[in-house]
Amino acid sequence: MLGVPLLATPAFAQSITVAVGADIETLEPHHATTFSDHVIARTLHRGLTQYQPNGTLGLGLAESWAISGDGRTYTFSLKPGLTWSDGRPLTASDFVAGIEHALDPIRPSPFAAKLFAIAMAGDFYYGHLKEGRALGVSAPDPATVVIKLSRRAVDFLETLAHPVAMPVPTQERTALHDGTVTSGAYWVARANEAGEMVLESISTGPGLVVRTVGSVVDAWNLMGDDGALVTAALPAVTPPTLSDHSDWIQVDRTHTLYAYGVNTARNPFNTIEVRHALAMAINRPKVLEGLPQNIGVPANQYVPPSVMGELGSYKAPFAPLTFEEREAVASALLAELGFDRDNPLRVNLRVPIGDIHRTAAESIAAMWAHAGIFTDIIEAPLFDHWRALEQGDFDVAFMVWPGRNEIPQSILEPLSLAGGPWNFPRYAFSEFTERLNRALSYDKEMVRLGCYREAEKAIIEDQALIAVFFYRPLSLVSPDIQGWIANSSGQHPLSALTTIPDDGGVKLMRPTLPQAVPSFGAGP
Protein backbone atom coordinates (compact mmCIF):
# COMPACT_ATOMS: atom_id res chain seq x y z
CA MET A 1 0.00 0.00 0.00
CA LEU A 2 1.21 3.49 -0.84
CA GLY A 3 2.72 5.18 2.19
CA VAL A 4 0.45 7.78 3.78
CA PRO A 5 0.69 9.60 7.12
CA LEU A 6 -0.71 7.91 10.19
CA LEU A 7 -3.27 9.98 12.05
CA ALA A 8 -5.57 9.19 14.94
CA THR A 9 -8.41 7.02 13.72
CA PRO A 10 -12.00 7.18 15.03
CA ALA A 11 -14.36 4.22 14.75
CA PHE A 12 -15.62 3.64 11.22
CA ALA A 13 -18.72 1.55 11.90
CA GLN A 14 -20.60 3.44 9.18
CA SER A 15 -17.99 3.19 6.45
CA ILE A 16 -17.52 0.67 3.65
CA THR A 17 -14.41 -1.51 3.54
CA VAL A 18 -13.16 -1.96 -0.02
CA ALA A 19 -11.03 -5.09 -0.42
CA VAL A 20 -8.63 -4.83 -3.37
CA GLY A 21 -6.18 -7.39 -4.70
CA ALA A 22 -3.17 -5.25 -5.60
CA ASP A 23 -1.16 -2.57 -3.85
CA ILE A 24 -1.97 1.06 -4.54
CA GLU A 25 1.25 2.36 -6.05
CA THR A 26 0.23 5.90 -6.96
CA LEU A 27 -2.60 8.37 -6.43
CA GLU A 28 -1.93 10.20 -9.69
CA PRO A 29 -4.69 9.11 -12.08
CA HIS A 30 -2.54 9.54 -15.19
CA HIS A 31 0.10 7.22 -13.76
CA ALA A 32 -2.25 4.60 -12.33
CA THR A 33 -0.72 1.20 -13.07
CA THR A 34 -2.19 -1.55 -10.91
CA PHE A 35 -5.84 -2.59 -11.08
CA SER A 36 -6.28 -1.11 -7.61
CA ASP A 37 -4.74 2.18 -8.77
CA HIS A 38 -7.44 2.37 -11.42
CA VAL A 39 -10.26 1.68 -8.96
CA ILE A 40 -9.01 4.47 -6.70
CA ALA A 41 -8.38 6.85 -9.63
CA ARG A 42 -11.97 6.44 -10.86
CA THR A 43 -13.22 7.07 -7.31
CA LEU A 44 -11.13 10.16 -6.63
CA HIS A 45 -11.52 11.65 -10.10
CA ARG A 46 -14.07 12.11 -12.85
CA GLY A 47 -13.51 12.72 -16.53
CA LEU A 48 -15.73 14.20 -19.19
CA THR A 49 -17.53 10.85 -19.22
CA GLN A 50 -17.94 8.18 -16.57
CA TYR A 51 -19.53 4.79 -16.00
CA GLN A 52 -22.91 4.60 -14.31
CA PRO A 53 -23.88 2.01 -11.67
CA ASN A 54 -25.69 -0.07 -14.31
CA GLY A 55 -22.48 -0.31 -16.34
CA THR A 56 -23.43 2.08 -19.11
CA LEU A 57 -21.31 5.05 -20.13
CA GLY A 58 -22.74 8.46 -19.37
CA LEU A 59 -21.90 12.05 -18.60
CA GLY A 60 -19.17 12.78 -16.09
CA LEU A 61 -18.13 16.40 -15.58
CA ALA A 62 -19.53 17.24 -19.00
CA GLU A 63 -23.10 18.46 -19.23
CA SER A 64 -23.38 17.44 -22.89
CA TRP A 65 -21.35 16.40 -25.91
CA ALA A 66 -21.64 16.72 -29.67
CA ILE A 67 -19.82 14.69 -32.34
CA SER A 68 -19.22 16.01 -35.84
CA GLY A 69 -20.57 14.18 -38.87
CA ASP A 70 -17.17 12.75 -39.76
CA GLY A 71 -16.70 11.47 -36.21
CA ARG A 72 -13.45 13.37 -35.70
CA THR A 73 -14.44 16.39 -33.60
CA TYR A 74 -15.89 16.08 -30.09
CA THR A 75 -17.25 19.17 -28.34
CA PHE A 76 -18.07 19.04 -24.62
CA SER A 77 -19.93 21.59 -22.54
CA LEU A 78 -18.98 21.39 -18.86
CA LYS A 79 -21.44 21.38 -15.99
CA PRO A 80 -21.68 24.82 -14.35
CA GLY A 81 -19.89 25.60 -11.10
CA LEU A 82 -17.33 22.78 -11.18
CA THR A 83 -14.59 22.97 -8.55
CA TRP A 84 -11.67 20.89 -7.36
CA SER A 85 -11.92 19.38 -3.89
CA ASP A 86 -9.91 22.31 -2.49
CA GLY A 87 -12.42 24.82 -3.86
CA ARG A 88 -10.49 26.19 -6.85
CA PRO A 89 -12.50 26.40 -10.11
CA LEU A 90 -12.29 23.42 -12.47
CA THR A 91 -12.42 24.65 -16.06
CA ALA A 92 -11.97 23.43 -19.62
CA SER A 93 -8.28 24.33 -19.57
CA ASP A 94 -7.79 21.69 -16.85
CA PHE A 95 -8.89 18.99 -19.31
CA VAL A 96 -6.43 20.32 -21.88
CA ALA A 97 -3.72 20.24 -19.20
CA GLY A 98 -4.72 16.70 -18.23
CA ILE A 99 -4.27 15.32 -21.74
CA GLU A 100 -1.00 17.22 -22.17
CA HIS A 101 0.14 15.83 -18.81
CA ALA A 102 -0.64 12.26 -19.91
CA LEU A 103 1.28 12.73 -23.17
CA ASP A 104 4.22 14.57 -21.59
CA PRO A 105 7.31 13.15 -23.38
CA ILE A 106 9.42 13.56 -20.22
CA ARG A 107 7.06 11.64 -17.92
CA PRO A 108 4.22 10.18 -19.96
CA SER A 109 1.34 8.13 -18.66
CA PRO A 110 1.87 4.36 -19.00
CA PHE A 111 -1.43 4.35 -20.90
CA ALA A 112 -0.65 7.38 -23.08
CA ALA A 113 -1.18 5.34 -26.26
CA LYS A 114 -4.91 5.24 -25.49
CA LEU A 115 -4.93 8.92 -26.49
CA PHE A 116 -3.13 8.47 -29.80
CA ALA A 117 -6.35 8.95 -31.78
CA ILE A 118 -6.17 12.65 -30.82
CA ALA A 119 -4.68 14.77 -33.60
CA MET A 120 -0.90 15.20 -33.17
CA ALA A 121 -0.91 13.13 -29.96
CA GLY A 122 1.83 10.82 -31.22
CA ASP A 123 4.05 13.74 -32.25
CA PHE A 124 3.45 15.42 -28.88
CA TYR A 125 4.26 12.19 -27.01
CA TYR A 126 7.50 11.56 -28.91
CA GLY A 127 8.55 15.22 -28.70
CA HIS A 128 8.32 15.71 -32.48
CA LEU A 129 5.58 18.33 -32.59
CA LYS A 130 6.60 20.80 -35.27
CA GLU A 131 6.34 24.56 -34.93
CA GLY A 132 2.93 25.80 -35.97
CA ARG A 133 1.26 22.47 -35.12
CA ALA A 134 -0.83 21.94 -32.01
CA LEU A 135 -2.21 19.02 -30.05
CA GLY A 136 -5.83 18.43 -31.01
CA VAL A 137 -7.40 19.50 -27.72
CA SER A 138 -8.43 23.05 -26.86
CA ALA A 139 -10.54 25.16 -24.52
CA PRO A 140 -12.19 27.95 -26.56
CA ASP A 141 -13.82 29.16 -23.33
CA PRO A 142 -13.80 28.05 -19.66
CA ALA A 143 -16.84 25.81 -20.14
CA THR A 144 -16.03 24.16 -23.49
CA VAL A 145 -13.57 21.41 -24.43
CA VAL A 146 -12.95 20.61 -28.10
CA ILE A 147 -11.03 17.48 -29.07
CA LYS A 148 -10.04 16.75 -32.68
CA LEU A 149 -9.05 13.25 -33.74
CA SER A 150 -6.69 12.19 -36.51
CA ARG A 151 -8.84 9.11 -37.13
CA ARG A 152 -12.29 7.91 -36.16
CA ALA A 153 -12.45 6.07 -32.86
CA VAL A 154 -15.92 4.88 -31.92
CA ASP A 155 -14.72 4.08 -28.39
CA PHE A 156 -13.35 7.56 -27.73
CA LEU A 157 -16.07 8.47 -25.22
CA GLU A 158 -15.02 5.42 -23.20
CA THR A 159 -11.38 6.50 -23.40
CA LEU A 160 -12.36 9.79 -21.78
CA ALA A 161 -13.64 7.89 -18.74
CA HIS A 162 -10.22 6.25 -18.31
CA PRO A 163 -7.81 7.69 -15.67
CA VAL A 164 -5.43 8.71 -18.49
CA ALA A 165 -7.91 11.42 -19.57
CA MET A 166 -8.67 12.98 -16.17
CA PRO A 167 -8.17 16.74 -15.72
CA VAL A 168 -5.33 18.34 -13.75
CA PRO A 169 -5.12 21.89 -12.35
CA THR A 170 -3.64 23.97 -15.17
CA GLN A 171 -1.27 25.94 -12.96
CA GLU A 172 -0.25 23.05 -10.69
CA ARG A 173 0.01 19.82 -12.64
CA THR A 174 1.58 17.91 -9.74
CA ALA A 175 -1.31 18.73 -7.38
CA LEU A 176 -2.90 15.29 -7.72
CA HIS A 177 0.04 13.31 -6.34
CA ASP A 178 -1.28 12.88 -2.77
CA GLY A 179 -5.01 12.46 -3.35
CA THR A 180 -6.06 15.57 -1.46
CA VAL A 181 -6.92 17.52 -4.65
CA THR A 182 -9.48 15.58 -6.66
CA SER A 183 -12.17 16.11 -9.27
CA GLY A 184 -14.44 13.28 -8.15
CA ALA A 185 -16.62 12.29 -5.22
CA TYR A 186 -13.82 11.49 -2.74
CA TRP A 187 -10.45 12.65 -1.46
CA VAL A 188 -7.78 10.77 0.50
CA ALA A 189 -8.03 11.67 4.17
CA ARG A 190 -5.32 9.50 5.70
CA ALA A 191 -4.23 6.02 6.69
CA ASN A 192 -5.47 4.37 9.85
CA GLU A 193 -3.54 2.21 12.29
CA ALA A 194 -3.99 -0.89 10.10
CA GLY A 195 -2.33 0.80 7.14
CA GLU A 196 -5.62 1.08 5.29
CA MET A 197 -6.32 4.09 3.08
CA VAL A 198 -9.31 6.17 4.14
CA LEU A 199 -11.29 8.10 1.54
CA GLU A 200 -13.69 10.81 2.67
CA SER A 201 -16.70 11.83 0.62
CA ILE A 202 -16.76 15.36 -0.77
CA SER A 203 -20.51 15.47 -0.11
CA THR A 204 -22.56 12.99 1.95
CA GLY A 205 -21.41 9.58 0.77
CA PRO A 206 -20.11 6.86 3.10
CA GLY A 207 -16.46 6.78 4.02
CA LEU A 208 -14.39 4.20 2.13
CA VAL A 209 -11.61 2.23 3.81
CA VAL A 210 -9.39 0.59 1.19
CA ARG A 211 -7.67 -2.60 2.27
CA THR A 212 -5.29 -4.77 0.24
CA VAL A 213 -5.87 -8.51 0.61
CA GLY A 214 -3.81 -11.42 -0.65
CA SER A 215 -6.64 -13.60 -1.90
CA VAL A 216 -10.38 -14.02 -2.23
CA VAL A 217 -10.23 -16.14 0.93
CA ASP A 218 -8.79 -13.17 2.84
CA ALA A 219 -11.65 -10.98 1.62
CA TRP A 220 -14.11 -13.75 2.46
CA ASN A 221 -12.75 -13.87 6.02
CA LEU A 222 -13.39 -10.14 6.44
CA MET A 223 -17.12 -10.78 6.30
CA GLY A 224 -17.17 -11.50 10.00
CA ASP A 225 -15.90 -7.99 10.78
CA ASP A 226 -18.28 -5.20 11.64
CA GLY A 227 -19.34 -2.85 8.85
CA ALA A 228 -20.06 -3.09 5.15
CA LEU A 229 -17.68 -4.78 2.69
CA VAL A 230 -17.28 -4.83 -1.09
CA THR A 231 -14.53 -6.28 -3.28
CA ALA A 232 -13.00 -4.40 -6.21
CA ALA A 233 -10.12 -5.23 -8.56
CA LEU A 234 -10.17 -8.67 -6.98
CA PRO A 235 -10.66 -11.42 -9.59
CA ALA A 236 -12.89 -14.08 -8.08
CA VAL A 237 -13.89 -17.23 -9.94
CA THR A 238 -15.85 -18.85 -7.13
CA PRO A 239 -16.09 -18.27 -3.36
CA PRO A 240 -14.19 -20.57 -0.98
CA THR A 241 -17.46 -21.65 0.63
CA LEU A 242 -21.05 -20.46 0.64
CA SER A 243 -21.60 -21.15 4.37
CA ASP A 244 -24.18 -18.69 5.70
CA HIS A 245 -23.18 -15.81 3.45
CA SER A 246 -24.57 -16.74 0.05
CA ASP A 247 -26.40 -13.40 -0.01
CA TRP A 248 -22.99 -11.68 -0.19
CA ILE A 249 -22.19 -13.15 -3.60
CA GLN A 250 -22.95 -11.03 -6.64
CA VAL A 251 -22.35 -12.43 -10.13
CA ASP A 252 -21.92 -10.19 -13.17
CA ARG A 253 -23.90 -10.72 -16.36
CA THR A 254 -20.89 -11.25 -18.52
CA HIS A 255 -18.22 -13.84 -19.23
CA THR A 256 -14.56 -13.36 -18.41
CA LEU A 257 -11.69 -15.38 -19.83
CA TYR A 258 -9.62 -17.47 -17.43
CA ALA A 259 -6.28 -17.55 -19.21
CA TYR A 260 -2.56 -18.15 -18.88
CA GLY A 261 -0.29 -15.56 -20.42
CA VAL A 262 3.08 -16.57 -21.84
CA ASN A 263 6.13 -14.32 -21.41
CA THR A 264 7.03 -13.75 -25.07
CA ALA A 265 10.16 -11.84 -24.05
CA ARG A 266 11.73 -14.87 -22.37
CA ASN A 267 13.49 -17.74 -24.10
CA PRO A 268 12.25 -20.32 -25.13
CA PHE A 269 8.73 -18.95 -24.71
CA ASN A 270 9.46 -16.39 -27.41
CA THR A 271 9.09 -19.21 -29.95
CA ILE A 272 5.63 -19.80 -31.36
CA GLU A 273 6.10 -23.58 -31.37
CA VAL A 274 6.58 -23.67 -27.58
CA ARG A 275 3.50 -21.53 -27.01
CA HIS A 276 1.38 -23.69 -29.30
CA ALA A 277 2.62 -26.85 -27.60
CA LEU A 278 1.61 -25.47 -24.19
CA ALA A 279 -1.84 -24.50 -25.47
CA MET A 280 -2.51 -27.79 -27.27
CA ALA A 281 -1.46 -29.98 -24.35
CA ILE A 282 -4.34 -28.71 -22.19
CA ASN A 283 -7.55 -30.77 -22.04
CA ARG A 284 -9.92 -27.95 -21.15
CA PRO A 285 -13.05 -30.03 -20.38
CA LYS A 286 -10.91 -32.20 -18.10
CA VAL A 287 -9.64 -29.13 -16.24
CA LEU A 288 -13.22 -28.04 -15.61
CA GLU A 289 -14.17 -31.51 -14.33
CA GLY A 290 -11.88 -30.93 -11.35
CA LEU A 291 -13.46 -27.56 -10.51
CA PRO A 292 -16.86 -26.79 -8.93
CA GLN A 293 -19.79 -27.79 -11.11
CA ASN A 294 -20.94 -25.29 -13.74
CA ILE A 295 -18.07 -22.92 -12.98
CA GLY A 296 -17.39 -22.27 -16.67
CA VAL A 297 -17.17 -23.51 -20.23
CA PRO A 298 -14.04 -24.52 -22.19
CA ALA A 299 -12.42 -21.74 -24.24
CA ASN A 300 -10.43 -22.04 -27.44
CA GLN A 301 -10.87 -18.35 -28.21
CA TYR A 302 -10.43 -15.03 -26.38
CA VAL A 303 -13.70 -13.21 -27.05
CA PRO A 304 -16.82 -14.89 -25.61
CA PRO A 305 -18.97 -16.23 -28.49
CA SER A 306 -21.99 -14.24 -27.31
CA VAL A 307 -20.06 -10.99 -27.80
CA MET A 308 -19.31 -11.68 -31.48
CA GLY A 309 -22.91 -12.50 -32.39
CA GLU A 310 -23.56 -14.37 -35.64
CA LEU A 311 -20.00 -13.84 -36.83
CA GLY A 312 -18.57 -15.90 -33.99
CA SER A 313 -15.17 -15.73 -32.34
CA TYR A 314 -12.05 -17.03 -34.06
CA LYS A 315 -11.16 -20.37 -32.53
CA ALA A 316 -7.66 -21.81 -32.32
CA PRO A 317 -6.81 -23.94 -35.40
CA PHE A 318 -6.31 -26.96 -33.14
CA ALA A 319 -9.84 -26.71 -31.69
CA PRO A 320 -11.36 -29.40 -34.02
CA LEU A 321 -8.69 -31.96 -33.07
CA THR A 322 -9.19 -34.54 -30.36
CA PHE A 323 -7.10 -34.07 -27.25
CA GLU A 324 -4.99 -37.09 -28.15
CA GLU A 325 -4.23 -35.51 -31.54
CA ARG A 326 -3.37 -32.19 -29.92
CA GLU A 327 -1.07 -33.87 -27.41
CA ALA A 328 0.74 -35.71 -30.21
CA VAL A 329 1.26 -32.47 -32.15
CA ALA A 330 2.46 -30.70 -29.00
CA SER A 331 5.05 -33.41 -28.35
CA ALA A 332 6.20 -33.28 -31.98
CA LEU A 333 6.63 -29.50 -31.84
CA LEU A 334 8.72 -29.76 -28.71
CA ALA A 335 10.81 -32.58 -30.19
CA GLU A 336 11.66 -30.39 -33.18
CA LEU A 337 13.08 -27.86 -30.73
CA GLY A 338 15.15 -30.49 -28.94
CA PHE A 339 12.86 -31.04 -25.97
CA ASP A 340 12.05 -34.60 -24.87
CA ARG A 341 11.66 -36.60 -21.67
CA ASP A 342 15.41 -36.51 -21.09
CA ASN A 343 15.53 -32.78 -21.79
CA PRO A 344 12.04 -31.54 -20.88
CA LEU A 345 10.73 -28.05 -21.36
CA ARG A 346 10.68 -26.51 -17.89
CA VAL A 347 7.97 -24.02 -17.01
CA ASN A 348 7.48 -21.79 -13.97
CA LEU A 349 3.71 -21.39 -13.72
CA ARG A 350 2.60 -18.50 -11.51
CA VAL A 351 -0.90 -18.45 -10.02
CA PRO A 352 -2.51 -16.54 -7.14
CA ILE A 353 -3.19 -18.29 -3.86
CA GLY A 354 -6.56 -20.03 -3.93
CA ASP A 355 -8.16 -23.44 -4.33
CA ILE A 356 -9.46 -22.82 -7.85
CA HIS A 357 -6.12 -21.54 -9.13
CA ARG A 358 -4.18 -24.36 -7.47
CA THR A 359 -6.54 -27.09 -8.70
CA ALA A 360 -6.52 -25.79 -12.26
CA ALA A 361 -2.73 -25.39 -12.22
CA GLU A 362 -2.14 -28.89 -10.87
CA SER A 363 -4.47 -30.38 -13.47
CA ILE A 364 -2.75 -28.53 -16.32
CA ALA A 365 0.71 -29.38 -14.97
CA ALA A 366 -0.23 -33.08 -15.04
CA MET A 367 -1.35 -32.76 -18.65
CA TRP A 368 1.85 -30.95 -19.58
CA ALA A 369 3.89 -33.65 -17.86
CA HIS A 370 2.26 -36.25 -20.12
CA ALA A 371 3.52 -34.20 -23.08
CA GLY A 372 7.04 -34.02 -21.64
CA ILE A 373 6.78 -30.61 -19.97
CA PHE A 374 8.01 -30.17 -16.39
CA THR A 375 6.10 -27.55 -14.38
CA ASP A 376 6.99 -25.73 -11.18
CA ILE A 377 3.85 -24.10 -9.74
CA ILE A 378 4.51 -20.85 -7.88
CA GLU A 379 1.66 -19.57 -5.68
CA ALA A 380 1.65 -16.06 -4.25
CA PRO A 381 -0.76 -13.53 -2.74
CA LEU A 382 -2.53 -11.49 -5.39
CA PHE A 383 -0.48 -8.34 -4.81
CA ASP A 384 2.77 -10.29 -5.23
CA HIS A 385 1.36 -12.12 -8.25
CA TRP A 386 0.51 -8.89 -10.09
CA ARG A 387 3.89 -7.40 -9.18
CA ALA A 388 5.67 -10.41 -10.69
CA LEU A 389 3.66 -9.99 -13.90
CA GLU A 390 4.49 -6.28 -14.10
CA GLN A 391 8.19 -7.06 -13.65
CA GLY A 392 8.13 -9.89 -16.20
CA ASP A 393 9.16 -12.44 -13.55
CA PHE A 394 7.28 -15.44 -14.99
CA ASP A 395 7.27 -18.01 -17.77
CA VAL A 396 3.53 -18.64 -17.79
CA ALA A 397 1.03 -17.02 -15.43
CA PHE A 398 -2.66 -16.60 -14.70
CA MET A 399 -3.92 -13.36 -16.19
CA VAL A 400 -7.19 -11.48 -16.25
CA TRP A 401 -7.98 -7.84 -16.95
CA PRO A 402 -10.70 -5.48 -15.73
CA GLY A 403 -12.80 -3.87 -18.41
CA ARG A 404 -16.00 -4.10 -20.37
CA ASN A 405 -16.19 -7.79 -21.18
CA GLU A 406 -19.08 -7.33 -23.61
CA ILE A 407 -16.90 -5.27 -25.98
CA PRO A 408 -14.17 -6.99 -28.06
CA GLN A 409 -12.00 -3.86 -27.93
CA SER A 410 -11.80 -3.99 -24.15
CA ILE A 411 -10.98 -7.71 -24.19
CA LEU A 412 -8.26 -7.54 -26.84
CA GLU A 413 -6.71 -4.13 -26.17
CA PRO A 414 -4.43 -5.14 -23.23
CA LEU A 415 -2.21 -7.01 -25.71
CA SER A 416 -1.89 -3.96 -27.97
CA LEU A 417 0.19 -0.79 -27.78
CA ALA A 418 -2.62 0.84 -25.79
CA GLY A 419 -2.41 -1.94 -23.20
CA GLY A 420 0.63 -0.28 -21.64
CA PRO A 421 1.83 -2.06 -18.48
CA TRP A 422 -1.14 -4.45 -18.65
CA ASN A 423 0.42 -6.15 -21.68
CA PHE A 424 1.89 -8.73 -19.31
CA PRO A 425 2.88 -11.21 -22.06
CA ARG A 426 5.02 -8.46 -23.66
CA TYR A 427 3.25 -9.22 -26.94
CA ALA A 428 4.40 -6.99 -29.79
CA PHE A 429 2.74 -7.23 -33.20
CA SER A 430 2.01 -3.90 -34.88
CA GLU A 431 -0.53 -5.45 -37.25
CA PHE A 432 -2.62 -6.52 -34.26
CA THR A 433 -2.81 -2.92 -32.99
CA GLU A 434 -3.61 -1.71 -36.50
CA ARG A 435 -6.49 -4.18 -36.78
CA LEU A 436 -7.96 -2.91 -33.52
CA ASN A 437 -7.66 0.70 -34.67
CA ARG A 438 -9.24 -0.23 -37.99
CA ALA A 439 -12.24 -1.70 -36.17
CA LEU A 440 -12.79 1.60 -34.35
CA SER A 441 -13.11 3.48 -37.63
CA TYR A 442 -16.34 1.71 -38.64
CA ASP A 443 -19.86 2.51 -37.47
CA LYS A 444 -21.43 -0.68 -38.82
CA GLU A 445 -21.25 -3.30 -36.11
CA MET A 446 -20.75 -6.32 -38.38
CA VAL A 447 -17.84 -4.64 -40.17
CA ARG A 448 -16.31 -3.71 -36.83
CA LEU A 449 -16.76 -7.24 -35.49
CA GLY A 450 -15.05 -8.57 -38.62
CA CYS A 451 -11.99 -6.45 -37.82
CA TYR A 452 -12.02 -7.66 -34.24
CA ARG A 453 -12.17 -11.24 -35.46
CA GLU A 454 -9.08 -10.62 -37.58
CA ALA A 455 -7.31 -9.12 -34.57
CA GLU A 456 -8.31 -12.09 -32.43
CA LYS A 457 -7.01 -14.40 -35.16
CA ALA A 458 -3.57 -12.77 -34.95
CA ILE A 459 -3.08 -13.36 -31.23
CA ILE A 460 -4.64 -16.83 -31.29
CA GLU A 461 -2.23 -17.88 -34.02
CA ASP A 462 0.63 -16.50 -31.91
CA GLN A 463 -0.74 -17.98 -28.63
CA ALA A 464 0.72 -15.26 -26.41
CA LEU A 465 -2.35 -15.90 -24.29
CA ILE A 466 -3.63 -19.42 -23.62
CA ALA A 467 -7.40 -19.54 -23.22
CA VAL A 468 -8.61 -22.08 -20.66
CA PHE A 469 -12.27 -21.40 -19.86
CA PHE A 470 -14.92 -18.69 -19.66
CA TYR A 471 -16.58 -17.93 -16.32
CA ARG A 472 -18.85 -15.33 -14.78
CA PRO A 473 -16.84 -13.17 -12.35
CA LEU A 474 -18.25 -12.64 -8.89
CA SER A 475 -17.85 -10.02 -6.20
CA LEU A 476 -18.49 -10.02 -2.47
CA VAL A 477 -20.99 -7.30 -1.53
CA SER A 478 -22.48 -7.16 1.95
CA PRO A 479 -26.29 -7.00 2.00
CA ASP A 480 -26.31 -3.59 3.68
CA ILE A 481 -24.80 -1.96 0.59
CA GLN A 482 -26.94 -0.43 -2.14
CA GLY A 483 -25.82 0.84 -5.53
CA TRP A 484 -23.88 -2.25 -6.67
CA ILE A 485 -25.67 -3.47 -9.79
CA ALA A 486 -24.78 -6.66 -11.66
CA ASN A 487 -24.31 -5.75 -15.31
CA SER A 488 -22.74 -6.93 -18.55
CA SER A 489 -19.84 -4.47 -18.51
CA GLY A 490 -18.36 -5.29 -15.10
CA GLN A 491 -18.24 -1.61 -14.10
CA HIS A 492 -19.14 -0.85 -10.46
CA PRO A 493 -18.28 2.73 -9.41
CA LEU A 494 -17.58 2.94 -5.68
CA SER A 495 -18.93 6.49 -5.62
CA ALA A 496 -22.43 5.08 -6.31
CA LEU A 497 -22.50 2.94 -3.16
CA THR A 498 -24.65 3.72 -0.14
CA THR A 499 -25.36 1.81 3.05
CA ILE A 500 -28.63 0.68 4.60
CA PRO A 501 -29.20 1.32 8.32
CA ASP A 502 -31.08 -1.12 10.51
CA ASP A 503 -34.43 0.58 9.90
CA GLY A 504 -34.22 -0.38 6.22
CA GLY A 505 -33.97 3.14 4.85
CA VAL A 506 -31.12 4.32 2.67
CA LYS A 507 -28.72 6.46 4.62
CA LEU A 508 -25.68 8.23 3.19
CA MET A 509 -23.04 8.03 5.87
CA ARG A 510 -19.58 9.41 6.32
CA PRO A 511 -17.05 8.91 9.13
CA THR A 512 -16.29 11.74 11.50
CA LEU A 513 -12.81 12.88 10.55
CA PRO A 514 -10.47 15.34 12.25
CA GLN A 515 -9.69 18.41 10.21
CA ALA A 516 -6.46 17.66 8.38
CA VAL A 517 -5.04 18.00 4.91
CA PRO A 518 -2.00 15.72 5.07
CA SER A 519 0.83 15.48 2.60
CA PHE A 520 1.62 12.04 1.21
CA GLY A 521 5.13 12.86 0.12
CA ALA A 522 6.73 15.11 -2.42
CA GLY A 523 5.36 15.21 -5.94
CA PRO A 524 7.32 14.02 -8.95
Side-chain angles (χ1 to χ4, degrees):
M1 178 74 74
L2 185 73
V4 291
L6 181 66
L7 302 181
T9 306
F12 283 97
Q14 297 180 332
S15 64
I16 296 175
T17 296
V18 182
V20 297
D23 288 333
I24 299 169
E25 297 182 353
T26 180
L27 295 173
E28 287 189 86
H30 303 85
H31 292 275
T33 301
T34 69
F35 298 162
S36 300
D37 287 349
H38 279 243
V39 169
I40 299 305
R42 293 178 189 269
T43 304
L44 298 179
H45 300 277
R46 276 184 285 187
L48 292 166
T49 60
Q50 67 180 20
Y51 287 105
Q52 311 302 313
N54 64 0
T56 60
L57 188 73
L59 292 165
L61 296 181
E63 185 175 53
S64 65
W65 69 64
I67 306 174
S68 64
D70 64 0
R72 295 190 178 189
T73 301
Y74 289 68
T75 303
F76 298 87
S77 295
L78 300 184
K79 293 176 179 177
L82 294 177
T83 63
W84 291 94
S85 58
D86 62 359
R88 77 180 88 179
L90 195 162
T91 67
S93 63
D94 296 332
F95 285 96
V96 176
I99 291 177
E100 290 178 346
H101 186 62
L103 294 168
D104 184 350
I106 297 176
R107 187 173 178 259
S109 163
F111 290 93
K114 291 184 71 69
L115 301 173
F116 279 8
I118 297 175
M120 307 308 296
D123 288 344
F124 191 99
Y125 173 84
Y126 290 110
H128 298 156
L129 195 62
K130 296 180 180 179
E131 186 176 353
R133 296 293 187 93
L135 183 64
V137 56
S138 61
D141 62 63
T144 306
V145 179
V146 178
I147 303 177
K148 296 183 180 295
L149 307 185
S150 59
R151 54 177 170 80
R152 289 171 57 85
V154 295
D155 72 334
F156 190 65
L157 291 174
E158 294 167 9
T159 296
L160 295 177
H162 191 279
V164 75
M166 300 300 176
V168 299
T170 305
Q171 303 302 322
E172 190 182 357
R173 298 190 181 187
T174 61
L176 308 187
H177 74 278
D178 63 3
T180 59
V181 177
T182 69
S183 59
Y186 284 85
W187 65 284
V188 178
R190 67 183 179 282
N192 61 22
E193 287 91 341
E196 301 161 330
M197 185 174 293
V198 180
L199 310 186
E200 182 183 6
S201 173
I202 301 296
S203 55
T204 57
L208 302 178
V209 181
V210 184
R211 181 170 179 175
T212 302
V213 296
S215 68
V216 177
V217 174
D218 292 343
W220 191 253
N221 291 335
L222 291 176
M223 293 191 305
D225 297 348
D226 293 334
L229 170 74
V230 64
T231 57
L234 185 66
V237 183
T238 187
T241 177
L242 292 178
S243 64
D244 296 326
H245 296 290
S246 60
D247 56 344
W248 286 62
I249 301 170
Q250 297 291 337
V251 183
D252 265 327
R253 300 170 184 169
T254 183
H255 282 95
T256 293
L257 178 65
Y258 189 103
Y260 286 164
V262 185
N263 190 343
T264 63
R266 177 177 287 186
N267 185 52
F269 306 97
N270 55 356
T271 59
I272 192 171
E273 292 84 0
V274 166
R275 299 196 297 270
H276 270 269
L278 291 169
M280 284 191 284
I282 297 176
N283 186 335
R284 289 155 179 80
K286 192 71 174 177
V287 173
L288 287 169
E289 285 180 11
L291 301 180
Q293 189 175 10
N294 300 321
I295 192 176
V297 295
N300 286 298
Q301 66 270 65
Y302 301 148
V303 180
S306 59
V307 173
M308 297 296 285
E310 296 179 2
L311 188 62
S313 301
Y314 182 85
K315 290 187 177 182
F318 54 75
L321 302 178
T322 66
F323 176 65
E324 290 72 19
E325 291 171 332
R326 296 185 192 182
E327 188 179 53
V329 174
S331 297
L333 288 173
L334 293 175
E336 290 179 2
L337 295 174
F339 295 108
D340 53 32
R341 296 192 181 279
D342 294 327
N343 178 38
L345 172 67
R346 296 182 178 273
V347 178
N348 286 334
L349 173 59
R350 283 193 174 272
V351 296
I353 290 173
D355 292 343
I356 296 297
H357 297 298
R358 182 186 310 109
T359 302
E362 290 175 346
S363 176
I364 290 172
M367 296 170 191
W368 282 349
H370 202 260
I373 302 168
F374 179 82
T375 307
D376 183 16
I377 299 174
I378 303 172
E379 295 181 272
L382 275 166
F383 41 82
D384 288 335
H385 180 79
W386 296 129
R387 186 177 298 113
L389 266 59
E390 291 172 11
Q391 296 172 351
D393 184 17
F394 69 96
D395 296 336
V396 180
F398 163 77
M399 294 180 187
V400 69
W401 291 270
R404 300 188 63 181
N405 294 315
E406 87 286 18
I407 297 178
Q409 179 75 24
S410 179
I411 297 168
L412 300 173
E413 188 180 67
L415 296 183
S416 73
L417 178 63
W422 289 0
N423 183 357
F424 302 129
R426 277 70 176 163
Y427 181 65
F429 181 42
S430 59
E431 178 61 24
F432 171 66
T433 298
E434 290 171 8
R435 291 178 189 181
L436 288 182
N437 291 341
R438 194 179 308 137
L440 296 175
S441 68
Y442 294 105
D443 284 323
K444 292 185 177 180
E445 183 179 19
M446 287 303 295
V447 178
R448 195 161 62 247
L449 290 177
C451 293
Y452 285 134
R453 195 174 191 273
E454 287 300 307
E456 183 181 24
K457 177 182 178 181
I459 52 175
I460 282 181
E461 292 182 346
D462 281 344
Q463 284 297 322
L465 193 66
I466 300 174
V468 183
F469 60 85
F470 290 114
Y471 69 98
R472 291 188 182 275
L474 60 85
S475 297
L476 303 181
V477 184
S478 59
D480 52 350
I481 290 178
Q482 284 194 338
W484 196 102
I485 301 174
N487 58 67
S488 61
S489 70
Q491 302 297 317
H492 305 288
L494 296 179
S495 57
L497 302 182
T498 60
T499 53
I500 307 172
D502 293 338
D503 61 9
V506 177
K507 182 178 180 181
L508 301 180
M509 298 179 291
R510 63 194 298 182
T512 302
L513 301 173
Q515 185 175 2
V517 181
S519 170
F520 298 104

